Amino acid sequence: MIFNREYEAMPAAAMKELQLERLKWSLTHAYNNNKFYQDSFKSAGFHPDQLKSLSDMSRVPFLTKQDMRNSYPYGLFAVPLNRVVRVHSSSGTTGNATVVGYTKNDVEVFAEIVARSLTCYGVTSDDIIQVAYGYGLFTGGLGLHYGSEKLGALTIPISGGNTDRQLMLLKDFGSTVIACTPSYLLNIADHIAKTDSFDIKDTRLRIGVLGAEPWSDEMRNEIETRLGIEAYDIYGLSEVMGPGVSAECQARNGLHIFEDHFYVEIINPETGEVLPEGSEGEIVYTSLTKEAFPTIRYRSRDITTLYREPCSCGRTLVRMKKVTGRSDDMLIIRGVNVYPSQIESILMSVKGTEPHYQIYIDREGALDTMEVKVEINEKLFSDELKVLDALRSEISDRFKTMLGISARITLVEPMTIARSEGKAKRVVDRRNK
Ligand code: DLL
């Protein structure tokens, strides 16, 4: 099933034409109605009338997270506040938070792209969707909520946390779909394993709509095996809209980007140069239809690859590879670049480990050190010391051969590592403290 065949299965040439037409509108709208864009276009010597083809986009200046912070709270809005009906915001752990706004029409587009995403996974109006992403300023809860309603599914707005209650509703309300972060779903799976009176087989759960943080294929296997469900990826970012910028389909080969609303480019994160399709790099977004908060050439910091081979699902939309990390999350350990998701893949490929881990980076003298704490299963923990030693060396050998770095591996008891109800905090970098 395809929610909006007209756009999702549009021939590539027609999509390019549509994008060019919408880009002209979006750039002109940003330029005419927002001072930041006007100044930044002018200082780059660019006027929206100069956009004649998609390749002219490389002349448009980038928008960065810092620009957004500097414009706190409403400096990047391009409509009067009385046309804005909703705001979301990302937490400001460093500096100001970013605030994003939506008009009535933006809210409608947001709901549609989430409904399209749900349809990608095979979810229909017959489903019962337990929305366990946080409701509030985070886009996850309300984003999934309105998308689910748009699809016509029964929507349960439980929000994140209160795991006992999640289990109760899973059973009593007959939820067939759960939407939350992958780390929270694992947390729920652990809870189920500890609760004698609860058997997942007594529920109707069949699909997980998981995203908001990187998660590996190994993590997917673990979730699917433990809960007997299909786990699908949903991606998005508040600056661009929220969840539903792209979604995996049942072919499970990358995520389709809803190109009638977002124009994407891949750039070299060091130089800003646009790279040909098929190259790995930072994905840059330009909104095509957003009214309240246009995002023009926004540098997401997310690293991925785009490709256009035909997909068996029938969608013609460009696909992006699963995002395995942000360029900001990349750890440089003694000169070696490592993403937390690579560490996750290694840990999960070793038998006996649990999918809960945390990475600690320190500096001793001039040298970076890395410690990886990982939970191991209960049975192993009570095993002899030499079994644990063997496991530790197996993990540490894999780090050396696969990543080229040495790490101190600490095996810890189940339930030692803090659990999340939203995005997991995997890395504790203590180098500049
Ligand atoms: O996390 C929106 C969202 C909510 C997506 C619910 C999916 C589900 P932000 O809080 O602004 O928005 O964080 C955006 O999270 O730039 C990525 O680095 C990361 N991210 C989001 N989805 C995925 C995913 C929401 N499926 C940032 N895989 C993005 C990997 C993801 N990383």
Side-chain angles (χ1 to χ4, degrees):
M1 278 275 286
I2 296 184
F3 187 83
N4 189 332
R5 189 167 279 279
E6 181 187 353
Y7 291 109
E8 294 178 74
M10 190 175 239
M15 179 59 84
K16 286 212 156 86
E17 244 172 71
L18 178 79
Q19 285 194 315
L20 182 60
E21 190 188 305
R22 290 188 170 181
L23 274 172
K24 286 179 181 166
W25 174 83
S26 185
L27 266 54
T28 307
H29 168 61
Y31 183 87
N32 287 347
N33 299 303
N34 180 273
K35 186 168 175 334
F36 170 88
Y37 280 115
Q38 195 166 104
D39 292 346
S40 111
F41 284 20
K42 275 185 183 156
S43 50
F46 175 82
H47 188 277
D49 289 347
Q50 293 165 344
L51 189 86
K52 302 287 180 218
S53 73
L54 294 180
S55 59
D56 292 333
M57 277 304 285
S58 63
R59 297 183 47 204
V60 180
F62 291 120
L63 172 72
T64 64
K65 183 89 179 168
Q66 194 54 45
D67 294 329
M68 290 199 179
R69 291 199 175 118
N70 296 344
S71 312
Y72 177 86
Y74 300 138
L76 281 169
F77 286 20
V79 296
L81 279 188
N82 65 5
R83 284 198 55 213
V84 178
V85 297
R86 198 201 294 175
V87 291
H88 281 291
S89 171
S90 68
S91 57
T93 40
T94 51
N96 280 338
T98 44
V99 180
V100 296
Y102 305 77
T103 61
K104 273 195 178 148
N105 192 55
D106 296 335
V107 163
E108 182 54 37
V109 171
F110 190 6
E112 165 150 350
I113 58 168
V114 174
R116 289 184 190 181
S117 304
L118 293 169
T119 310
C120 278
Y121 318 133
V123 176
T124 72
S125 58
D126 292 335
D127 276 295
I128 299 180
I129 307 186
Q130 183 158 330
V131 181
Y133 284 111
Y135 278 64
L137 286 171
F138 175 54
T139 49
L142 285 169
L144 262 296
H145 183 99
Y146 280 89
S148 169
E149 285 191 356
K150 172 100 187 159
L151 186 64
L154 194 164
T155 310
I156 308 174
I158 183 169
S159 194
N162 202 339
T163 310
D164 281 325
R165 193 138 189 252
Q166 300 279 356
L167 297 200
M168 188 174 91
L169 265 56
L170 263 182
K171 194 141 77 186
D172 296 350
F173 288 16
S175 312
T176 55
V177 176
I178 187 160
C180 60
T181 58
S183 53
Y184 187 49
L185 191 53
L186 273 173
N187 191 347
I188 293 179
D190 285 345
H191 212 76
I192 292 177
K194 279 193 310 189
T195 312
D196 290 337
S197 56
F198 191 95
D199 187 344
I200 190 73
K201 294 203 184 75
D202 297 335
T203 72
R204 296 173 55 213
L205 193 64
R206 63 184 197 95
I207 287 178
V209 177
L210 312 181
E213 62 186 7
W215 53 304
S216 58
D217 283 332
E218 289 81 5
M219 182 77 93
R220 184 201 318 252
N221 288 340
E222 175 90 19
I223 289 171
E224 293 193 331
T225 322
R226 283 174 66 177
L227 294 175
I229 61 169
E230 286 173 26
Y232 288 103
D233 201 359
I234 184 161
Y235 164 92
L237 51 172
S238 38
E239 295 85 351
V240 175
M241 184 64 99
V245 169
S246 69
E248 205 173 26
C249 65
Q250 286 169 309
R252 295 178 163 223
N253 181 359
L255 291 87
H256 289 285
I257 300 174
F258 297 114
E259 286 181 285
D260 50 325
H261 295 294
F262 312 107
Y263 176 75
V264 287
E265 298 163 278
I266 296 285
I267 62 162
N268 175 331
E270 310 291 326
T271 63
E273 173 207 2
V274 178
L275 299 177
E277 244 164 46
S279 321
E280 184 180 83
E282 177 180 342
I283 186 160
V284 171
Y285 293 94
T286 300
S287 62
L288 299 178
T289 53
K290 273 207 307 177
E291 297 173 338
F293 191 86
T295 22
I296 310 293
R297 290 201 102 202
Y298 176 61
R299 290 195 57 165
S300 68
R301 300 273 165 203
D302 287 337
I303 303 295
T304 186
T305 305
L306 300 177
Y307 50 105
R308 284 197 184 272
E309 286 78 42
C311 183
S312 57
C313 74
R315 290 177 184 80
T316 48
L317 302 166
V318 70
R319 275 175 285 169
M320 64 192 269
K321 276 200 185 146
K322 207 171 177 34
V323 169
T324 47
R326 300 168 59 79
S327 51
D328 324 11
D329 292 345
M330 190 179 78
L331 302 166
I332 305 181
I333 313 287
R334 300 192 189 184
V336 180
N337 299 350
V338 191
Y339 284 104
S341 55
Q342 291 175 294
I343 294 176
E344 176 176 304
S345 294
I346 293 181
L347 293 174
M348 307 239 3
S349 65
V350 178
K351 214 165 164 263
T353 57
E354 295 287 317
H356 302 288
Y357 63 93
Q358 212 157 30
I359 303 160
Y360 294 84
I361 316 290
D362 284 289
R363 180 160 289 154
E364 285 166 19
L367 284 185
D368 300 328
T369 60
M370 176 162 84
E371 178 188 7
V372 178
K373 281 192 186 158
V374 59
E375 289 183 9
I376 56 169
N377 68 40
E378 200 120 31
K379 198 188 139 296
L380 263 183
F381 205 81
S382 49
D383 248 324
E384 288 169 47
L385 231 48
K386 66 173 197 277
V387 178
L388 297 183
D389 278 343
L391 182 61
R392 216 177 346 250
S393 354
E394 185 183 349
I395 300 175
S396 143
D397 288 349
R398 286 196 196 197
F399 270 77
K400 280 200 199 102
T401 49
M402 298 172 81
L403 300 177
I405 48 174
S406 24
R408 181 144 60 91
I409 310 296
T410 309
L411 306 177
V412 296
E413 271 181 274
M415 302 307 291
T416 325
I417 290 170
R419 299 297 195 255
S420 79
E421 293 174 353
K423 300 186 192 233
K425 181 161 173 52
R426 304 283 192 206
V427 180
V428 183
D429 193 339
R430 298 183 285 214
R431 281 179 292 191
N432 293 318
K433 298 270 155 65

